[in-house]
Every structure is written in C-alpha cells, then in structure tokens.
Amino acid sequence: MNENEKKIAIWGSGDYGKMAIRYFLSKNVKIECIVDNDKNKWGTKVNGIEIVSPGIFLEMQDIHLYIAVNVSIIKDIETQCDEMGIKNYEAFDFRLYSERERLISYSSKRDMEDVVLYHALKDVNEIFYIDVGSNDPYERNVTKLLYDMKNASGINIDPQRGYIDMTNRERPRDINICCALSDEDGELELYYQSGYSTVVQENVKDEDCYHEKVKVTTLKKICEKYCEGKEIHVLKIDAEGSEAKILAGADFKRYKPWIVVVEATNPGTMEDSSEKWEKVLFDNTYEFARKIGVNKFYVLKEKKDLIREILAVDSLKEKYCIYHAELFFE
C-alpha cells in the first residue's frame, strides 16, 4: 500500500511536525490527525488538521503514525508508543522534505508574488517580464527569483534614478529605464516617500518631502521600442496610485502579457482600488485569477489554463522549501 492509499497521522505539531505535514500535503496524502503531548494544543488545528491526545489516537484504527519531532526526543516518543501499545509507527524521514525544490523569495514574505509567478511559469523557458515600479532590484523584488532561477530577463521601469543605477549593476541582461508611466508622454512631479514614492498628488502624505520633475511615457511606447516579436509572460504594476493611467496607456491588442499582476489597494492601506482600472483588463480578455495580499493576478483568456497554477501562499509552502531574503534586509 502506498502513502496515498493508507491512513496516516503525524506525531508533533511544532516546526518538525509542520515539515512533515507540508510534505504529505504536497503529495496529496490525507492526514487524519496530529498527535501531541501538549494538552493545551488538543482540539486546535494545524493546516485544518485537528491535534489530538495520544489517548484519543490510540482509539483510532489502521492509521500509520509518523513521528516528526526533534531528534533528541524521538526515542522518548517511540518508548511512549511502545508502552501505550501503539505499534504502527516510524520516524519521519526529513530527507523527503528536503527533496522539495528550494527557493529564495525576494518579495514580500506575506504575499510571495515571485514564488506565485515562478510556479505558474515553471514549464516556460525564456521568460520575459515587464516590471513597472521595479524599485530595488533585490529587496522585495518580484522578478529577481525569475531572473536567478529561470534565466529570465525583461524590462525594469522606475522613476527613481538610484534604483535604476543599482538595477543596471545587478541585472545586466535586463533593459532598465528611468521614467514614470502614464497615459501620455510628458513630465510629472515625483514625490519621494520611502516605499510610497508617487506622482499622484492626492497620495502625497508630506508636501515638504523632496520632489522633482521626472520624464513620463506610456507602456505602449515602451513595448513598441523593446517588445516587438517578443512573448511577454508577466506584466507587474506597482505604482502607488498610477495603475489606472498606466493600464490606459498600454496597447493590449498588440502586446498581450500572459499574466498581469497589479497592486490593487490604495497606497499604505488594504482598501481595494481595482474598480478604478480593472475594466481595462476585462475589456482586453483578461480573467481574474486570484487576490494575494495587496495584489490581484489576471490571466489572458488565451492562457486561461494558467489560472489553476496561480496558487495561494499556503499551497506554495507545501510544494517548495522557501527561504525569505526579507529576513536579512535589515
């Protein structure tokens, strides 16, 4: 009988138990329960799976038990099982967990936009992206994982010269453009507000912050210059309130990114802002796939099979062993 056919339980609800849980869930194996000696945890759940006492588990029938605890106490748990008469058990082999592909996520630890895109495009070669509001080429960056792990390349657009200078050094395969995007060419005032720098006057929180004129062009003109004959796999937009005008300045008839990711909240809040621009995507045959954190993901109708590959964060944690560069930013 293979793992998918037999009933299993996990002994351990801590970090080691969660590793085993993620492994079996990634293999689509149903876990009947989690066993733990800590009575304060009984009746609570991990990943929707109830934690029960060893006594309750003893009453269950034909369930194979995997012990997933620190190596220093495995023998104690095995002795406890023997004394209770639990015979159908074994120590979980953590080498199985480490077989999952290891990824370093550079974007938000909460949202993991880069891992979402990595998984959705896992079978695609020569990925090409357009990152509008690319910001730092490393810190909380959405395309660095693709650049590093998939040998992807693309266009990074940001009006802040310092970020583009860094990107030129760190992304030699990419086209890096220092400008803002809107629905027409011209100039706009850029207000520097740490992670919320903006060209939208109503989103300026401090009128006394440093500001300067920056060049503005359209996504259509960027694509005309750099994307003729290219398949665009990802368009990501994070522009602190400029999303509607940026999308209005695109030509989705000629240039059709497979996946469009747009920050869908008003700057600095969790208030949804997609009603201001979502119709542009729907009118150009995009379908909504999933909302993850502050972002909404859309898929071109012609590529709608990708919708099922736009996974929630918890599902990605089950499939990959993910480390977060965000932990080292400070």
Side-chain angles (χ1 to χ4, degrees), residues 21 31 61 77 83 116 130 132 143 182 228 275 282 298:
I21 291 166
I31 301 170
Q61 301 294 318
I77 301 300
E83 291 176 349
V116 175
I130 301 176
V132 180
T143 57
S182 189
E228 287 297 333
E275 74 282 355
F282 292 153
Y298 302 83

Side-chain angles (χ1 to χ4, degrees), residues 19 71 330:
M19 290 182 192
V71 66
E330 296 182 359

Side-chain angles (χ1 to χ4, degrees), residues 244-259:
K245 288 191 173 182
I246 290 170
L247 289 168
D251 182 353
F252 287 108
K253 303 301 181 189
R254 292 175 61 189
Y255 308 101
K256 302 180 179 182
W258 293 11
I259 301 171

Side-chain angles (χ1 to χ4, degrees), residues 120-132:
L121 298 171
K122 61 186 181 299
D123 297 325
V124 179
N125 296 318
E126 298 183 15
I127 293 171
F128 189 84
Y129 49 76
I130 301 176
D131 189 344
V132 180

